[in-house]
């Protein structure tokens, strides 16, 4: 086999491959064997039909077609490996010549990773937000904790902001009560914004036994997105009572004995979280500067596939789980379809460029991923997906996604190399040493995850 490579543009090549006919022998034998198992010829046992009879009865052309279809992937792969190409996606193959007993010639056009030059990145400088935890931040944090431990008690008066009301709901669309439009005994905190638009105004000022009717757009259910006439009846009004901010509260809400200890822990936790945010900000801004330094051509077909994948995931997974259509989502976001298309394409371009550049850095810096790093990454991904590490690992293995996870870890290490070489200063002009914050940011990440789980 002989092959040659023609560069069509920085991200696409054409392979020209010439295969001597004798190299098709294995595929021809396989073709005869396959046809033998599929057809019957009177006078011959199944699977024992001679090649000449198959040629006579079914045509040599059918055999050649089967053989070529079998052989093409192998010869294409050999040509790719010989040229040391990093291909992207499936090739467009064209058989240019097939002479029985003589030769098979074909071309294959395919997208490839562009050759990148990674310049010296040690001069990158970025600015990040300074870490500042104010007394007001502490008070807000403690107040949020206090809200979680609020108690309620029924009152004989009209409902006010902050009260917890027990309500019955009935929703009608076009005058008809929806099958899933009735809910009784719903607990709702006035002002929380957790139910329908307009419900706060409807229930405020109402006492137990009173009702009101209002119009609102349904957020979920069988008539999601439609205007509904909603009748709400208040069956109970309860006032929320916050615990006193004292040592007893600290003992109730935490492992600490005093309120001062609780506040000190809040300060430490908020500092850790801000350090994590600062480190994340540094990574993002260093990456932006790195991408600005490298000229990265993007294959158009790869870009279109990435844009379509992002749209599909948003529309059919993320929005689907929330009961939203894409049009409704854009309305909520205040974006036009054209703005959404532009933003999605820009994000896809950045994602592709990031992967290309960091993968090139992985090669340049000869970075490897060990089992411990892969396991840690897998556990973080499992936590963010809501699955147990075992479940997530099984899904990854069954889906053949292990190489993708290895790539994610390697790219993370490549970015860390660049961040370490960069100069990071905060808005106060102080140099930020991210190495010193590694343990703290991990703690903040764990704390943040814990809080999200609690609030969820």
């Amino acid at each position: 086999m002989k092959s040659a490579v023609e560069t069509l543009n920085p991200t696409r090549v054409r392979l020209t491959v010439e295969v001597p006919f004798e190299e098709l022998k294995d595929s021809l034998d396989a073709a005869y064997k396959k046809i033998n198992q599929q057809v019957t010829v009177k006078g011959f046992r199944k699977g024992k039909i001679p090649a000449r009879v198959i040629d006579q009865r079914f045509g040599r052309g059918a055999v050649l077609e089967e053989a070529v279809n079998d052989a093409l992937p192998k010869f294409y792969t050999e040509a790719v490996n010989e040229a040391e190409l990093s291909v992207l996606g499936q090739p467009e193959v064209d058989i240019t010549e097939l002479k029985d007993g003589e030769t098979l010639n074909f071309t294959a056009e395919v997208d490839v990773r562009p050759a990148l030059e990674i310049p010296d990145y040690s001069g990158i400088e970025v600015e990040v937000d300074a870490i500042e935890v104010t007394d007001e931040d502490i008070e807000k944090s403690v107040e949020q904790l206090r809200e979680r431990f609020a108690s309620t008690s029924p009152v004989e008066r009209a409902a006010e902001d902050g009260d917890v009301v027990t309500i019955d709901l009935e929703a009608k669309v076009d005058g008809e009560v929806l099958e899933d439009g009735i809910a009784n005994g719903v607990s709702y905190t006035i002002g929380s914004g957790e139910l329908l638009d307009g419900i706060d105004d409807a229930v405020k000022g109402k006492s137990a036994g009173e009702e009101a009717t209002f119009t609102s757009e349904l957020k979920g259910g069988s008539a999601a997105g439609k205007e509904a006439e909603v009748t709400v009846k208040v069956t109970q009004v309860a006032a929320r009572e916050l615990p006193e901010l004292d040592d007893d509260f600290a003992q109730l809400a935490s492992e600490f004995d005093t309120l001062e200890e609780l506040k000190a822990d809040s300060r430490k936790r908020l500092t850790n979280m801000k350090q994590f945010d600062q480190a994340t900000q540094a990574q993002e801004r260093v990456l932006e500067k790195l991408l600005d330094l490298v000229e990265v051509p993007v294959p158009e077909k790869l870009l279109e596939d990435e844009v379509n994948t992002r749209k599909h995931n948003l529309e059919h997974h993320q929005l689907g789980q929330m009961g939203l259509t894409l049009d409704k989502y854009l309305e909520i976001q205040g974006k036009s379809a054209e703005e959404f298309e532009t933003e999605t394409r820009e994000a896809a371009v950045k994602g592709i460029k990031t992967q290309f550049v960091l993968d090139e850095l992985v090669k340049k810096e000869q970075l490897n991923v060990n089992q411990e790093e892969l396991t840690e990454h897998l556990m973080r991904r499992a936590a963010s997906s809501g699955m147990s590490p075992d479940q997530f690992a099984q899904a990854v293995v069954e889906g053949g996604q292990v190489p993708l996870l290895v790539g994610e870890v390697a790219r993370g290490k490549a970015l860390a190399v660049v961040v370490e070489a960069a100069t990071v200063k905060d808005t106060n002009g102080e140099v930020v040493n991210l190495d010193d914050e590694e343990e703290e940011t991990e703690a903040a990440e764990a704390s943040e995850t814990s809080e999200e789980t609690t609030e969820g």
Side-chain angles (χ1 to χ4, degrees):
M1 185 196 80
K2 293 194 303 182
S3 64
V5 180
E6 177 188 357
T7 300
L8 304 177
N9 62 49
T11 63
R12 194 166 179 84
V13 299
R14 179 188 292 123
L15 286 163
T16 302
V17 184
E18 299 178 10
V19 183
F21 204 80
E22 57 265 24
E23 294 187 30
L24 285 172
K25 183 180 183 307
D26 289 345
S27 294
L28 279 169
D29 291 344
Y32 279 116
K33 185 175 181 179
K34 182 177 180 180
I35 293 173
N36 242 308
Q37 299 300 321
Q38 294 175 337
V39 302
T40 57
V41 175
K42 189 175 181 179
F44 297 96
R45 284 183 298 163
K46 195 173 185 67
K48 299 296 183 180
I49 308 169
R52 58 180 176 78
V53 175
I54 290 177
D55 289 347
Q56 291 168 358
R57 290 293 187 91
F58 305 102
R60 174 72 166 175
V63 179
L64 287 175
E65 181 179 358
E66 182 67 38
V68 169
N69 287 339
D70 175 75
L72 275 177
K74 180 184 71 171
F75 292 123
Y76 165 73
T77 301
E78 286 182 8
V80 166
N81 292 338
E82 186 178 283
E84 298 182 342
L85 298 174
S86 181
V87 298
L88 303 166
Q90 296 301 312
E92 295 179 6
V93 177
D94 181 28
I95 298 173
T96 55
E97 186 176 28
L98 175 58
K99 288 185 178 179
D100 194 358
E102 294 184 29
T103 187
L104 164 67
N105 298 335
F106 68 91
T107 62
E109 287 191 19
V110 66
D111 287 334
V112 294
R113 282 178 178 262
L116 301 180
E117 279 294 326
I118 305 295
D120 179 19
Y121 48 78
S122 60
I124 290 178
E125 293 186 11
V126 297
E127 184 180 73
V128 294
D129 294 336
I131 294 175
E132 182 182 5
V133 177
T134 65
D135 291 341
E136 288 76 13
D137 292 332
I138 306 301
E139 296 302 326
K140 182 179 179 182
S141 175
V142 173
E143 190 63 29
Q144 287 173 343
L145 184 61
R146 188 183 179 205
E147 290 278 349
R148 295 184 193 176
F149 286 84
S151 59
T152 59
S153 57
V155 291
E156 299 294 331
R157 60 166 172 77
E160 302 172 353
D161 271 328
D163 284 344
V164 178
V165 289
T166 304
I167 54 178
D168 297 337
L169 294 164
E170 179 185 86
K172 295 180 180 179
V173 173
D174 298 329
E176 297 291 329
V177 178
L178 299 171
E179 288 186 12
D180 56 354
I182 297 177
N184 295 322
V186 177
S187 181
Y188 175 67
T189 301
I190 300 176
S192 66
E194 293 174 350
L195 280 178
L196 300 168
D197 293 338
I199 195 168
D200 288 339
D201 291 336
V203 297
K204 274 192 294 187
K206 297 291 184 294
S207 300
E210 295 183 327
E211 63 179 48
T213 300
F214 64 100
T215 301
S216 183
E217 185 178 293
L218 299 178
K219 296 181 179 179
S222 60
K226 292 185 178 180
E227 289 287 327
E229 182 183 85
V230 182
T231 300
V232 55
K233 181 179 180 180
V234 177
T235 60
Q236 179 182 277
V237 179
R240 298 177 76 248
E241 298 175 358
L242 297 175
E244 290 293 326
L245 280 179
D246 53 22
D247 292 346
D248 289 340
F249 168 70
Q251 294 166 24
L252 170 69
S254 71
E255 71 271 30
F256 302 106
D257 294 326
T258 68
L259 184 61
E260 287 307 309
E261 289 176 328
L262 173 60
K263 288 184 176 181
D265 180 71
S266 294
R267 182 177 296 276
K268 179 180 178 182
R269 182 174 56 83
L270 289 173
T271 300
N272 288 342
M273 291 176 64
K274 285 180 179 288
Q275 285 176 330
F276 175 78
D277 292 341
Q278 187 186 64
T280 301
Q281 193 178 65
Q283 289 180 334
E284 292 171 350
R285 294 183 178 178
V286 167
L287 177 60
E288 292 279 359
K289 288 286 185 76
L290 177 64
L291 294 181
D292 287 343
L293 292 176
V294 188
E295 184 67 32
V296 186
V298 176
E300 190 59 35
K301 177 67 167 58
L302 181 65
L303 175 58
E304 291 304 321
D305 289 346
E306 179 66 15
V307 168
N308 291 333
T309 297
R310 287 171 181 254
K311 288 180 182 177
H312 178 85
N313 288 341
L314 174 66
E315 192 166 1
H316 297 282
H317 296 297
Q318 300 168 40
L319 298 183
Q321 291 176 355
M322 294 187 288
L324 291 175
T325 64
L326 180 59
D327 288 341
K328 184 60 183 175
Y329 168 76
L330 294 180
E331 180 185 329
I332 293 171
Q333 294 291 315
K335 296 176 183 175
S336 67
E338 291 75 17
E339 288 172 330
F340 170 71
E341 180 74 28
T342 299
E343 288 180 6
T344 303
R345 183 167 290 270
E346 288 175 350
V349 168
K350 182 179 179 181
I352 293 170
K353 286 185 174 182
T354 297
Q355 183 169 335
F356 283 174
V357 170
L358 294 182
D359 283 347
E360 190 66 31
L361 263 170
V362 169
K363 288 195 297 183
K364 179 179 179 180
E365 302 292 344
Q366 298 181 329
L367 301 175
N368 296 309
V369 176
N370 60 42
Q371 186 60 49
E372 183 180 357
E373 291 167 336
L374 182 59
T375 300
E376 288 177 358
H377 183 66
L378 185 147
M379 293 182 72
R380 284 196 297 270
R381 286 287 304 272
S384 65
S385 69
M387 300 170 68
S388 73
D390 288 344
Q391 289 174 323
F392 188 79
Q394 183 178 352
V396 166
V397 172
E398 291 177 352
Q401 304 295 302
V402 174
L404 291 180
L405 255 65
V406 172
E408 289 174 1
V409 177
R411 285 190 283 275
K413 293 180 71 172
L415 180 55
V417 168
V418 183
V419 173
E420 186 178 354
T423 299
V424 181
K425 293 183 179 180
D426 64 21
T427 48
N428 293 330
E430 299 291 330
V431 174
V432 177
N433 190 338
L434 297 172
D435 288 340
D436 292 343
E437 297 176 4
E438 185 173 352
E439 291 185 8
E440 286 82 355
T441 53
E442 287 177 359
E445 186 175 17
S447 172
E448 196 170 40
T449 301
S450 173
E451 281 211 350
E452 290 170 355
T453 303
T454 303
E455 292 170 1

